[in-house]
């Protein structure tokens, strides 16, 4: 284990950086996707409700690995069949799309639950003051909902971070993929995967502590309020 760290520490640290980059990019896009479909689900338009429900159920019903394969291998082939012969996706691009779609479906439910946790009287009061629905949602409901959503969003970040290991199957040089290389070079399977597990454990433990800290702060704020 010590020999692996001495020889491959920089490579593993770089791959951890790739993992964090992939996770952060995916989470940013997932927040946008989640917000769009959450607003569709909480609105009164039945067509938007149906679209939002179909997206969430469909994406959550497909394994992430299958989704990643479809985007990395299937989507370029489909687009090339339309005449765009130069179209291709890098492993990072495909990985971000797959993770963002997958995480976005779960994020939509987190945001929907956060919005619905706000007393309906808040929206009614804002509308009675003459504020449009969109403005009421943006300035009155969402700021209150965010407080309850933050711990769940951090937990989803942790889940997405762990899910990046699946994308080693499409060749993205994240931590698990680098672990395969190190294990192949050293033939020390126990030591290599112990080191990889340690890297994941340190990062995920820190994020878990952050989630618990934020949850305690939110509870204190709610009690004071």
């Amino acid at each position: 284990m010590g020999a692996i760290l001495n020889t491959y520490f920089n490579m593993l640290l770089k791959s951890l950086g790739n993992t964090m980059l992939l996770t952060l990019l995916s989470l940013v896009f997932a927040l946008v996707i989640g917000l769009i479909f959450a607003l569709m689900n909480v609105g009164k338009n039945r067509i938007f409700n149906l679209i939002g429900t179909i997206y969430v159920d469909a994406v959550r019903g497909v394994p992430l690995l299958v989704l990643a394969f479809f985007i990395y291998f299937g989507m370029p082939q489909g687009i090339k069949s339309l005449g765009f012969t130069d179209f291709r996706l890098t492993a990072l691009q495909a990985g971000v799309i797959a993770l963002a779609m997958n995480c976005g479906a779960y994020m939509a439910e987190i945001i929907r639950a956060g919005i619905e946790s706000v007393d309906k009287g808040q929206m009614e009061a804002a509308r009675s003051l003459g504020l449009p629905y969109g403005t009421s949602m943006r300035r009155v409901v969402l700021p209150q909902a965010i407080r309850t959503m933050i711990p769940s969003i951090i937990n989803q970040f942790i889940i997405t971070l762990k899910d990046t290991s699946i994308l080693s199957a499409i060749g993205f040089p994240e931590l698990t993929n680098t672990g395969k290389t190190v294990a192949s070079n050293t033939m020390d399977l126990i030591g290599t995967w112990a080191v990889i597990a340690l890297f994941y454990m340190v990062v995920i433990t820190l994020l878990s502590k952050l989630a618990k800290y934020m949850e305690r702060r939110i509870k204190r704020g709610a009690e004071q309020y």
Side-chain angles (χ1 to χ4, degrees), residues 29-42 48 52 108 111:
F29 289 113
L31 282 169
V32 176
I33 293 170
L35 180 60
I36 291 171
F37 286 101
L39 291 175
M40 284 185 175
N41 283 332
V42 299
F48 284 165
I111 296 173

Side-chain angles (χ1 to χ4, degrees), residues 2 5 8 25 41 47 60 74 88 99-100 116 119 136 155 164-166 169 174 177-178 190 193 203 209-210:
L5 285 172
Y8 295 100
L25 289 175
N41 283 332
I47 295 176
R60 293 203 302 181
R88 64 185 62 188
L99 278 175
E116 291 180 348
D119 193 301
S136 301
N155 286 329
T164 58
S165 62
I166 296 174
E174 44 73 56
N177 198 11
T178 301
I190 295 177
W193 294 114
V203 175
K209 295 293 184 184
L210 176 61

Side-chain angles (χ1 to χ4, degrees), residues 26-27 29-31 33-34 37 55-68 71 94-110 156-157 159-164 166-167:
S26 301
L27 189 66
F29 289 113
L31 282 169
I33 293 170
F37 286 101
Y55 175 82
V56 171
D57 291 344
V59 173
R60 293 203 302 181
V62 177
L64 178 57
L65 182 59
V66 174
L67 184 61
I71 292 170
V96 169
I97 294 171
L99 278 175
M101 288 180 64
N102 180 267
C103 181
Y106 291 95
M107 202 65 72
E109 289 297 283
I110 291 171
Q156 187 58 48
F157 181 89
I159 293 170
T160 303
L161 175 63
K162 291 190 287 187
D163 284 345
T164 58
I166 296 174
L167 299 181

